[in-house]
Amino acid sequence: MFRNALILLLAGAVWAQSPESDQKPRWQPGWPCTGKEPSFDPSYARVAEASGGQMFLFDRSEAGRSMTIYQYTSKHPATVARAAGKLEKPYEDIRVPVDSTIDSLLVSVTLQCMQTITIYGPTSAEIKPEELGGENNWFRAGRIATIPKPQPGVWTVRLQGAGPYFLVVQAHTSFGLHAVEFTPAPPKLGADQTLNVTINAPTADVRFRLVSAAGETVQPLVLNEVGPSRFSGSVVPAVSEFRVLAEGTDELGYGFQRVHPPLIEARSTAP
């Protein structure tokens, strides 16, 4: 029901699915960096993560630009990377493999107490989207940027600041991870079940794994090709929350990565 939902926090007011919200902004001095951890209701983040949508913190003065993210996500349907966590060190580097099939990249990051967010290309040079014909949008607690014709290779998004963060990297590309289905459904923690994945990858070199909300590997998967663009195999979820990630090598030898956006919950089989 929540597929592709988007959760926006606007100075404490919640906008879900559409900008027409009847909730009144509950303004807080210094929002979103108020010194409270966090300065928003975590339940909204859980809904966004579970739905495969995105959490983004907007100040009320940025209301007129909050629809920027809607405009870009529809043009970048494939999810390349996702990470959510809490920044408690000077900076966090998140690696993003960009393959040769990607002709436009969307980087969207929100960080509660943001100092800055820097995007580096494969040569470790800072990328300035506006100089490449892209878009560069800064907000009080985040950045939304589009990069046309990104150079293939491993990119880096560096987060500097403190507090909860949510990163989503999406792409306009010729292939994506289209379906993830558990049988029986919903998935059960510690129980053997079948996982079916549909991905029209450019080569037969496709591997799968489960990753945490932060994007870290929690469990490798063994899935076999059972038909055109279809893979299937047995899995016993060892963690209660995870995403399904596919990776491999494209026709030019560059690494690719696709992520199924929803954070899936495997429920305990215990009574």
Side-chain angles (χ1 to χ4, degrees), residues 51-62:
S51 70
Q54 185 176 2
M55 180 86 164
F56 205 98
L57 303 172
F58 289 105
D59 182 82
R60 64 175 182 175
S61 65
E62 298 165 335

Side-chain angles (χ1 to χ4, degrees), residues 222-243:
V222 179
L223 303 182
N224 300 310
E225 190 169 9
V226 295
S229 303
R230 288 189 59 80
F231 295 80
S232 182
S234 176
V235 59
V236 180
V239 293
S240 59
E241 291 184 335
F242 55 83
R243 289 190 175 92

